[in-house]
Amino acid sequence: MKHVIILGDGMADHAVERLGGKTLLQYADKPMMDLLAKKGRTGRLITVPEGFPPGSEVANTAILGYDLNKVYEGRGPLEAASIGYDMADDDLALRCNIITLEDGKIITHNGGNLETENARVLIDYLNETLAKPINEQEGCERVKFICGIQYRHLLIMKGGNKHITCAPPHDHPNEEWRPLLVKSEKGYEQEAQETADLLNNLILRSQELLVKHPYNIERAKQGERQANSIWPWSGGYRPSMQTLMEQYPQIKTGSVISAVDLIQGIGRYAGLRIIKVEGATGLADTNYEGKAEAAIEALKKDDFVFVHVEATDEAGHDGDLDLKLRAINYLDQRLIKPIYEAIEKMNEPVCMAVLPDHPTPVELRIHVNEPVPFLIYYKGIEPDEVQHYDELSCVSGGYGLLRLNEFMKEFMKIS
């Protein structure tokens, strides 16, 4: 038995008055997910351990069966692995967004939907104008920026202390940014204050520099949102993780398909080969068909395939109800449907799971820590009574309420 997980990031949601009190999964046109729920078994999953933030780095790692108390080091080191940056023992790696600030507030976490080719120009500029003076002042290569994808980048600090509190920008839309600057954790004030001060200095100086860059000058002329500040967060050291092959003897080889550095980084530490699909963007215009084709081909070679789609999460963060509904439909019809139709014809049986990592409600625009619905289907499974795939229907599912690594253990039992 082979296994494939299809994950719609942030796909779960809340009841919305504009939709007659239905959640987006209840309202959306998603016949394939409903069919799989009817033919398979469903349940709900707690994806975020107590005391952890409801971020994708936490939830996706937990879904893959890892104990966050043992392996969690933040989002930065995972994205470093994806980018191919080999962290040294004294590296502190932080995720570094390029964001939009207006009137003293965080307007968007994505720099006005910054594209990678423009971001690379800005990252090069920051390395020349922002990192270099600090390097010279410190007498060593203390800080550097590494370009990732779109607005998602990496900041590496030599000798930084991870015991700092950083606010994820996507959790604070339309909030004043100054109260959200980096702070040392309680109990680590002496050790971590220098790191917090240095990061805050970088944020403030980046704003002075980025507003003068030709890219942002032109954006301002066009009346468009500027990519006018860096925002580092979720820092940590190099994690120590077993591969999935070491944990589950059923998995000899595996792969991950995602446009997001974070997910690729988790996959790299999990021992999965990274499959990059041309046209995969992390947004609603991503290449769903390409991802489906890549997953089908991967299932011919690998025992385990993890397919991640970011579009639903981004639409949630933007508060775009219509776009999130379309993204759910695209996921259903352009990704899940062709994968399902292909595995039904395969000689070797394949077990399929569909779920989000966390809810990103469009009316809140942030991640929330709540159980998510999941479905599992394979030929011959004994279905439960659930007829639709959504947050409420799956409460009655045959798997009940699972916690954290219980999902992966249950999923890998199916052989």
Side-chain angles (χ1 to χ4, degrees):
M1 179 81 74
K2 297 192 174 192
H3 296 78
V4 57
I5 294 175
I6 302 174
L7 190 138
D9 202 299
M11 181 167 60
D13 213 295
H14 290 169
V16 176
E17 186 176 345
R18 288 173 286 169
L19 302 180
K22 293 183 178 181
T23 71
L24 276 74
L25 281 174
Q26 287 179 305
Y27 188 90
D29 179 22
K30 49 169 189 31
M32 200 69 245
M33 291 186 228
D34 289 338
L35 175 65
L36 290 171
K38 186 174 182 179
K39 295 180 69 172
R41 293 177 68 81
T42 66
R44 293 188 304 153
L45 175 64
I46 295 171
T47 61
V48 179
E50 186 176 349
F52 284 82
S56 294
E57 75 280 11
V58 170
N60 281 274
T61 304
I63 287 168
L64 287 173
Y66 289 96
D67 183 341
L68 273 295
N69 290 294
K70 295 180 179 178
V71 306
Y72 182 69
E73 281 289 345
R75 185 180 291 234
L78 297 171
E79 302 204 7
S82 170
I83 291 171
Y85 178 80
D86 189 14
M87 290 181 64
D89 291 339
D90 63 344
D91 280 345
L92 174 68
L94 300 102
R95 163 72 172 272
C96 188
N97 285 37
I98 300 181
I99 68 173
T100 300
L101 302 179
E102 290 178 11
D103 299 324
K105 295 181 179 180
I106 295 176
I107 301 303
T108 75
H109 65 288
N110 59 24
N113 289 320
L114 187 63
E115 295 293 343
T116 303
E117 57 268 27
N118 296 319
R120 182 166 286 107
V121 173
L122 296 180
I123 290 295
D124 289 344
Y125 173 66
L126 290 171
N127 272 321
E128 284 297 314
T129 59
L130 182 57
K132 181 178 277 188
I134 290 177
N135 293 344
E136 292 168 351
Q137 175 187 334
E138 298 290 338
C140 64
E141 192 174 298
R142 185 78 197 278
V143 172
K144 61 184 170 183
F145 297 93
I146 300 175
C147 187
I149 297 173
Q150 295 168 333
Y151 62 89
R152 312 173 186 94
H153 308 288
L154 195 66
L155 189 158
I156 301 293
M157 179 187 294
K158 290 290 183 184
N161 192 297
K162 74 173 183 177
H163 295 289
I164 51 177
T165 300
C166 307
H170 55 263
D171 283 347
H172 300 276
N174 296 318
E175 293 185 26
E176 293 186 2
W177 62 267
R178 283 189 178 275
L180 301 172
L181 287 169
V182 182
K183 301 173 182 65
S184 56
E185 284 183 9
K186 188 175 181 180
Y188 292 92
E189 289 85 356
Q190 285 190 328
E191 302 96 317
Q193 191 60 49
E194 189 264 352
T195 297
D197 290 342
L198 178 53
L199 290 172
N200 288 331
N201 186 36
L202 289 170
I203 292 171
L204 295 173
R205 290 174 61 193
S206 78
Q207 294 169 20
E208 297 173 1
L209 292 163
L210 286 170
V211 74
K212 301 174 185 177
H213 192 277
Y215 172 78
N216 281 317
I217 292 172
E218 185 60 31
R219 297 277 290 184
K221 287 180 181 177
Q222 300 296 325
E224 297 177 333
R225 288 174 172 170
Q226 300 176 55
N228 57 12
S229 181
I230 65 164
W231 199 267
W233 57 286
S234 197
Y237 309 137
R238 183 187 181 101
S240 177
M241 291 171 60
Q242 284 187 313
T243 66
L244 291 180
M245 297 75 181
E246 291 171 319
Q247 297 183 76
Y248 302 100
Q250 307 95 315
I251 302 177
K252 301 296 188 296
T253 61
S255 52
V256 58
I257 301 167
S258 175
V260 177
D261 285 338
L262 163 68
I263 305 301
Q264 295 176 14
I266 295 172
R268 191 178 296 277
Y269 278 114
L272 305 178
R273 66 187 178 97
I274 297 171
I275 300 174
K276 296 189 177 183
V277 175
E278 185 176 355
T281 65
L283 300 172
D285 64 353
T286 197
N287 184 359
Y288 297 91
E289 290 81 6
K291 284 190 170 184
E293 183 178 347
I296 293 164
E297 287 302 309
L299 282 168
K300 296 175 182 178
K301 307 173 185 176
D302 295 326
D303 305 306
F304 178 84
V305 179
F306 186 76
V307 188
H308 172 272
V309 174
E310 178 75 1
T312 40
D313 187 61
E314 290 294 327
H317 285 308
D318 285 343
D320 194 327
L321 176 70
D322 292 336
L323 181 61
K324 188 168 181 180
L325 288 170
R326 287 201 304 276
I328 292 171
N329 173 260
Y330 293 160
L331 177 68
D332 184 86
Q333 289 296 292
R334 298 168 61 185
L335 184 80
I336 296 174
K337 183 178 179 180
I339 292 175
Y340 165 75
E341 291 175 345
I343 65 176
E344 288 292 280
K345 300 173 184 176
M346 290 183 180
N347 293 327
E348 184 171 354
V350 178
C351 182
M352 173 191 289
V354 176
L355 76 166
D357 51 350
H358 52 69
T360 307
V362 291
E363 294 189 331
L364 297 179
R365 296 180 57 189
I366 61 173
H367 299 172
V368 295
N369 185 0
E370 296 171 359
V372 298
F374 70 88
L375 67 85
I376 292 177
Y377 167 77
Y378 60 90
K379 286 181 182 177
I381 189 173
E382 183 179 347
D384 56 25
E385 299 301 317
V386 173
Q387 301 294 298
H388 302 281
Y389 176 71
D390 58 66
E391 300 86 349
L392 276 69
S393 296
C394 291
V395 170
S396 304
Y399 284 110
L401 179 64
L402 301 183
R403 289 183 52 80
L404 306 171
N405 63 0
E406 291 177 351
F407 168 80
M408 190 66 171
K409 289 178 179 178
E410 197 69 39
F411 190 50
M412 295 312 301
K413 277 183 191 174
I414 302 167
S415 58

